[in-house]
Amino acid sequence: MSTFTIRTSLLNDLPAITEIYNDAVLNSVATFDTEPKQLSERQDWFKLHENPKYPMVSAVSFDEQVIGWGTLSPFHPRPAYDPTVEFSVYVHREYRGLGVGNAILEDLINRGTILEYHSIIGLITGSNIASLGMAEKFGFERVGLYKEVGKKFGSWQDVAVVQLFL
């Protein structure tokens, strides 16, 4: 793959975003969802990210295919948590290891800085070495570990908490 760009996600990206997410649901421990999401379910979720305060970005190939996406989302619903957001990054299986996830996370960090967030949190499955490495590459520190908080594919999963101060 020669090039891709990162841009604000568009509503017509939603089918590809949903497909990428559902692949993670069915084939990885990157999410603790266990059932694929319907496109109709994701439309309300997408509306949250139409708010500039909680951006969603798409990685788009030279032929305009969505090959990855990421979000900054509210970390917690209580108002005192507003200066902190949580990031999510998902990459189409055929494009992993090509720098797409890094580009998405870098863009989200830049947007978080512009939006004047104090910190960004990531909740990453302990066995997801690639995602933990990506976060550490951008300066996220491991600040906690939830042990055996989820069970997927018959195995208990830990969740590492990573944080970056902006």
Side-chain angles (χ1 to χ4, degrees), residues 5 87 97 148:
T5 59
F87 80 88
E148 298 183 2

Side-chain angles (χ1 to χ4, degrees), residues 2-13:
S2 57
T3 61
F4 63 89
T5 59
I6 307 295
R7 61 160 168 74
T8 299
S9 297
L10 307 171
L11 184 58
N12 60 356
D13 294 344

Side-chain angles (χ1 to χ4, degrees), residues 2 8 12 17 21 26 28 30-31 33 40 46 54 61-62 69 72 78 88-89 97 103 105 141 146-148 164 166:
S2 57
T8 299
N12 60 356
I17 288 169
Y21 185 73
L26 295 172
S28 79
T31 175
D33 271 329
S40 58
F46 185 85
Y54 301 114
S61 66
F62 68 95
W69 60 273
L72 292 180
R78 293 189 179 118
S88 295
V89 173
L105 184 54
E141 293 181 54
Y146 298 121
K147 293 187 173 221
E148 298 183 2
L164 175 70
L166 301 177

Side-chain angles (χ1 to χ4, degrees), residues 15-32:
I17 288 169
T18 303
E19 180 182 325
I20 291 166
Y21 185 73
N22 283 341
D23 180 64
V25 169
L26 295 172
N27 299 299
S28 79
V29 294
T31 175
F32 281 4

Side-chain angles (χ1 to χ4, degrees), residues 3-164:
T3 61
F4 63 89
T5 59
I6 307 295
R7 61 160 168 74
T8 299
S9 297
L10 307 171
L11 184 58
N12 60 356
D13 294 344
L14 193 54
I17 288 169
T18 303
E19 180 182 325
I20 291 166
Y21 185 73
N22 283 341
D23 180 64
V25 169
L26 295 172
N27 299 299
S28 79
V29 294
T31 175
F32 281 4
D33 271 329
T34 57
E35 297 293 326
K37 298 292 185 184
Q38 298 299 316
L39 186 57
S40 58
E41 293 176 85
R42 299 303 270 179
Q43 289 171 338
D44 287 339
W45 166 81
F46 185 85
K47 287 178 186 173
L48 169 69
H49 296 288
E50 288 181 313
N51 177 343
K53 185 176 177 179
Y54 301 114
M56 176 186 291
V57 298
S58 294
V60 181
S61 66
F62 68 95
D63 60 352
E64 292 298 310
Q65 291 184 20
V66 175
I67 60 173
W69 60 273
T71 59
L72 292 180
S73 300
F75 172 65
H76 196 282
R78 293 189 179 118
Y81 288 101
D82 284 353
T84 297
V85 287
E86 179 181 350
F87 80 88
S88 295
V89 173
Y90 291 88
V91 177
H92 189 285
R93 68 172 47 237
E94 294 178 14
Y95 297 95
R96 293 180 191 146
L98 301 175
V100 176
N102 287 333
I104 293 169
L105 184 54
E106 182 175 27
D107 186 271
L108 291 173
I109 292 167
N110 290 337
R111 289 171 189 253
T113 301
I114 291 166
L115 291 166
E116 299 181 346
Y117 285 115
H118 180 65
S119 72
I120 301 175
I121 299 286
L123 302 175
I124 302 173
T125 309
S127 61
N128 191 341
I129 304 304
S131 291
L132 289 168
M134 178 180 69
E136 289 172 359
K137 175 181 177 179
F138 285 96
F140 284 82
E141 293 181 54
R142 292 189 200 197
V143 295
L145 180 69
Y146 298 121
K147 293 187 173 221
E148 298 183 2
V149 293
K151 193 171 189 181
K152 192 163 180 186
F153 306 128
S155 297
W156 286 105
Q157 302 294 323
D158 297 342
V159 173
V161 181
V162 298
Q163 183 174 24
L164 175 70

